[in-house]
Amino acid sequence: MKISTVSRHLREGTKNVVRNGWMTFASISSIAISLFILGVFVLITLNVNDIAGQIEKQVEINVYLEVNTSQDQMKALETQIQAIHEVKSIKFVSKEEGLVYLRQKLGESGKALLDGFEGDNNPLNDAFTIEVDDPRNVAVVADQISALNIGKDPKPIYKVNYGKGTVEALFKVTQIVRWIGIGIVILLSFTAVFLIANTIKITILARRKEISIMKLVGATNSFIRWPFFIEGALLGFIGSVIPTAIILGGYWKLLNTSSLNLNLLMVELTPFGKIAPTMTALLLGIGMVIGIWGSLISVRKFLRV
């Protein structure tokens, strides 16, 4: 395609946007609103996925040892656990370390509550903390570790804990939330496509006579269609820039001024530096794609040349 032809298509596409006046304004406004709602749900979905990932990473298995477990039994058990294929890492936590961690977790109230439990008065058990390669494998690995206790005398394992029931429920909830978010994003994308398609359709109907004349003098279908594709892309682009700026500005303010504290849950919102490029590329990309897609639908259905 010649540079002069490309330049002509760009001019015509831009003129169409300006020429349609209130229809262009209504279309961009509708697209911006749709993409704003879409962007909010994308932002929520990204944060939910990130937080779910953070929570899933915190899922671990705690293997508490019997009080009378010998050093040889501990070493043998550690070797057996490490041999399990899904085990990513294993860490020994003595009861003294466990007491220090518990005090730190409980804060000031924990210091007074746990005072006097040092030395022989320590009620905690020595333990192994195990991280698996995939959080969804915790139940399988926990069962395999529990099986290591069978037939041993004395038994080295007092208890295997990974939050049974809670972990399974967590995975189900996060999966449902992810699918709902994806479904809403797809639905809103189709809504935006419909709005753009209608705008392009009105443009084509208004210029039907001009298009017929162009066809009579030898203009090809592609020559006639390209300005409409450019118009759709411009509508999608302009309509996506506005909600992108509003959403990112609001998210920046949320991260810097919000009193929301998620530290107790050991999770945090997705950092702005990570969310901004993704949101910008996603919304601008979706805006451009659905703009061209909407144009394509209208041209195929309503352009009779």
Side-chain angles (χ1 to χ4, degrees), residues 70-85:
S70 66
Q71 290 294 326
D72 290 339
Q73 281 184 305
M74 288 183 189
K75 290 180 181 179
L77 181 62
E78 183 176 4
T79 301
Q80 289 176 311
I81 293 173
Q82 283 178 328
I84 298 173
H85 179 70

Side-chain angles (χ1 to χ4, degrees), residues 81-263:
I81 293 173
Q82 283 178 328
I84 298 173
H85 179 70
E86 292 83 3
V87 171
K88 183 179 179 181
S89 66
I90 180 170
K91 179 184 177 183
F92 176 73
V93 181
S94 67
K95 60 182 182 180
E96 290 78 18
E97 292 173 326
L99 185 63
V100 172
Y101 173 76
L102 191 58
R103 280 177 172 164
Q104 291 175 345
K105 191 173 182 180
L106 294 175
E108 291 298 325
S109 59
K111 293 180 180 179
L113 184 64
L114 300 174
D115 189 33
F117 285 106
E118 295 83 0
D120 294 337
N121 294 324
N122 190 332
L124 303 179
N125 298 69
D126 292 328
F128 287 116
T129 298
I130 295 140
E131 184 182 353
V132 297
D133 58 354
D134 187 333
R136 288 171 179 78
N137 290 331
V138 288
V140 175
V141 175
D143 290 340
Q144 293 182 50
I145 293 173
S146 297
L148 298 176
N149 218 29
I150 298 174
K152 300 291 180 65
D153 189 23
K155 297 183 183 299
I157 300 175
Y158 167 69
K159 184 181 180 181
V160 178
N161 182 32
Y162 68 93
K164 186 176 182 179
T166 304
V167 170
E168 287 83 355
L170 170 67
F171 291 150
K172 287 180 181 178
V173 170
T174 54
Q175 191 65 24
I176 290 171
V177 171
R178 283 167 175 163
W179 280 113
I180 289 175
I182 292 171
I184 291 174
V185 168
I186 292 173
L187 180 63
L188 290 173
S189 296
F190 277 109
T191 302
V193 168
F194 175 77
L195 290 169
I196 293 176
N198 278 329
T199 302
I200 301 296
K201 178 184 71 174
I202 292 171
T203 302
I204 292 171
L205 291 175
R207 299 180 60 200
R208 181 176 290 176
K209 186 175 180 180
E210 178 185 343
I211 291 169
S212 298
I213 295 172
M214 291 173 66
K215 187 66 176 177
L216 288 173
V217 297
T220 62
N221 286 343
S222 61
F223 185 86
I224 296 171
R225 288 168 178 163
W226 264 106
F228 294 110
F229 294 157
I230 293 171
E231 180 183 355
L234 284 173
L235 290 174
F237 177 76
I238 298 170
S240 61
V241 167
I242 299 169
T244 300
I246 294 173
I247 290 171
L248 291 181
Y251 190 67
W252 171 263
K253 188 173 182 180
L254 174 69
L255 291 176
N256 288 278
T257 64
S258 175
S259 60
L260 179 64
N261 189 352
L262 300 177
N263 290 334

